[in-house]
Amino acid sequence: QLTGRWYSIGLASNSNWFKEKRHLMKMCTTIISTTADGNLEVTSTYPKGDQCVTRNSLYTKMEQPGRFSYTSPRWGSKHDIRVVETNYEEYALVATQISKSTGPSTMVLLYSRTKELSPERLERFTQFSREQGLTDDEILILPQTGEAGGTGR
């Protein structure tokens, strides 16, 4: 029941691209739909400089409920995706283990149905990210964007 529109409110990662780009990052929307066989189609829109970029990914469901896998055609990286907790109506906390040739990394995403989320949820995201071994400078609450196309500067 993760289908529909989500906003990415929090992002934590220990990958190099995150360190380089974190000051540019803003809140984005993600649309999730399910395929007939129970996989997830994920359409993410994210800011890249002053334009919006859309990426489509297919998350393949695993035996275990709430777990999915994804392989990036572009980078060849393997993603082990785990829905940590969600109440479907308000928020979802998702952890991803990424393995690629340059080494493994961890990413935690906090999704929200609205652009605002309670401090308790934000705190839970921060706490969980720390439990995954991420440091405070690798944990980011994303600033809200204006509408797509607005510079927001």
Side-chain angles (χ1 to χ4, degrees):
Q1 303 314 307
L2 283 170
T3 53
R5 174 193 293 256
W6 294 93
Y7 294 96
S8 56
I9 295 269
L11 173 60
S13 173
N14 55 6
S15 67
N16 288 329
W17 65 264
F18 180 78
K19 292 185 181 76
E20 290 160 18
K21 300 272 191 270
R22 62 167 285 161
H23 62 287
L24 297 170
M25 292 184 176
K26 293 192 173 70
M27 196 182 290
C28 305
T29 50
T30 294
I31 310 280
I32 299 178
S33 55
T34 35
T35 62
D37 43 14
N39 297 328
L40 295 184
E41 266 177 353
V42 182
T43 304
S44 305
T45 309
Y46 58 98
K48 198 170 184 180
D50 54 0
Q51 56 180 331
C52 279
V53 183
T54 304
R55 181 178 297 167
N56 292 310
S57 314
L58 182 66
Y59 290 3
T60 311
K61 70 168 180 180
M62 315 280 277
E63 292 286 307
Q64 219 175 335
R67 289 195 91 119
F68 299 87
S69 71
Y70 165 72
T71 302
S72 162
R74 189 173 168 198
W75 306 111
S77 51
K78 284 194 171 18
H79 300 228
D80 174 2
I81 300 145
R82 179 164 60 100
V83 179
V84 179
E85 58 186 57
T86 180
N87 58 7
Y88 303 114
E89 303 295 307
E90 179 202 7
Y91 81 109
L93 187 58
V94 178
T96 305
Q97 293 295 335
I98 302 163
S99 48
K100 56 180 180 182
S101 51
T102 52
S105 63
T106 301
M107 185 166 76
V108 180
L109 271 161
L110 177 65
Y111 289 116
S112 172
R113 290 295 190 188
T114 59
K115 290 186 177 185
E116 303 286 336
L117 205 50
S118 71
E120 292 78 30
R121 301 290 186 214
L122 300 177
E123 181 52 41
R124 170 74 182 117
F125 159 74
T126 303
Q127 194 55 45
F128 177 79
S129 299
R130 286 182 187 137
E131 287 164 17
Q132 305 311 298
L134 297 165
T135 61
D136 284 357
D137 62 347
E138 293 168 337
I139 302 171
L140 184 61
I141 303 294
L142 294 163
Q144 289 188 26
T145 49
E147 291 312 303
T151 57
R153 282 199 271 289

